[in-house]
Amino acid sequence: MRAIYSVGALILAAAAFGLAQQAQKPVENPPPAAAGTVMSNPHYEISEEDKARKNPLPFTDVSVERGRKLFASQCAMCHGATGDGKGELAKDMNVTLPDFTKPATLQKRTDGELFKILSLGNEAMPPQDKRMSEIHRWQIINFLRAAGGAVPKKSTGQEVTDEQYVEAH
Ligand code: HEC
């Protein structure tokens, strides 16, 4: 019986590996922008599964506030403290950034899509997948929604801590 199980497990593992290989198409990054060029609409490799991924954090004032702090230290230099795209570094790099304070800017992006974009980064924006924990990325996404005018719910005081999040995922 044991042997049959492990053969089965091997086949499953091989199948999963094959699928993973297929899913991992090379990331098509745009060619590096020459100094002084204005970057717009970089291409991100985002699957339907990424798009459908739900934000595990409730959209509350506490999680928005946590996201705001992270955004201030990790993103505002380019995207501006409010998300308006007017950060100092963006000026220096001569890139034009989208204005996240306009509700339309991120409206068509799902939370899952934003999570993937943050994780991948682009030629100018550092990828966060190895730099920032998942819960912090989701908190920033809640902040981005608030920056775009969505009104968060009042906290119930039940927000998970970083440790609880790590245990649950
Ligand atoms: C070094 C500058 C820089 C930093 C730091 C940076 N970004 Fe970006 N970001 C960019 C550039 C450039 C783009 C591409 C702009 C475009 O779409 O034309 C971008 C695009 C994005 C987009 C995609 C918008 C869309 O719908 O296409 C999101 C969301 C975003 N950034 C969020 C963040 C967050 C959150 C952080 C902090 C964790 C961050 N960025 C840090 C430069 C930066």
Side-chain angles (χ1 to χ4, degrees):
M1 265 325 249
R2 252 237 161 100
I4 294 174
Y5 277 132
S6 41
V7 169
L10 266 180
I11 293 172
L12 274 181
F17 184 67
L19 278 179
Q21 290 283 47
Q22 269 176 18
Q24 267 178 13
K25 284 201 222 109
V27 180
E28 292 166 25
N29 274 327
T37 55
V38 176
M39 180 190 223
S40 76
N41 289 323
H43 177 76
Y44 305 99
E45 196 72 31
I46 303 172
S47 69
E48 287 306 313
E49 200 184 336
D50 296 327
K51 266 192 207 171
R53 195 162 171 193
K54 294 268 178 289
N55 191 334
L57 305 180
F59 182 54
T60 64
D61 48 8
V62 167
S63 80
V64 167
E65 208 34 53
R66 290 177 180 169
R68 185 191 312 281
K69 291 209 179 91
L70 291 160
F71 192 87
S73 70
Q74 304 298 316
C75 324
M77 62 284 225
C78 288
H79 289 283
T82 59
D84 63 2
K86 300 197 169 67
E88 282 303 316
L89 196 54
K91 266 187 238 150
D92 292 350
M93 292 168 77
N94 200 12
V95 292
T96 307
L97 295 187
D99 182 353
F100 298 146
T101 66
K102 291 209 177 104
T105 307
L106 295 177
Q107 204 166 42
K108 291 210 181 86
R109 298 273 197 211
T110 65
D111 281 12
E113 214 173 347
L114 292 174
F115 186 85
K116 186 69 181 188
I117 291 174
L118 292 195
S119 305
L120 283 176
N122 58 45
E123 95 196 28
M125 175 162 84
Q128 297 296 340
D129 54 350
K130 307 240 162 50
R131 300 181 69 223
M132 191 185 280
S133 66
E134 286 197 5
I135 185 172
H136 288 171
R137 277 174 271 165
W138 291 118
Q139 283 164 350
I140 286 189
I141 289 163
N142 278 351
F143 164 71
L144 289 174
R145 294 303 182 199
V151 180
K153 287 179 288 196
K154 276 246 155 295
S155 165
T156 55
Q158 302 295 311
E159 280 81 3
V160 290
T161 62
D162 291 13
E163 291 75 23
Q164 286 164 337
Y165 183 91
V166 170
E167 269 167 37
H169 288 81

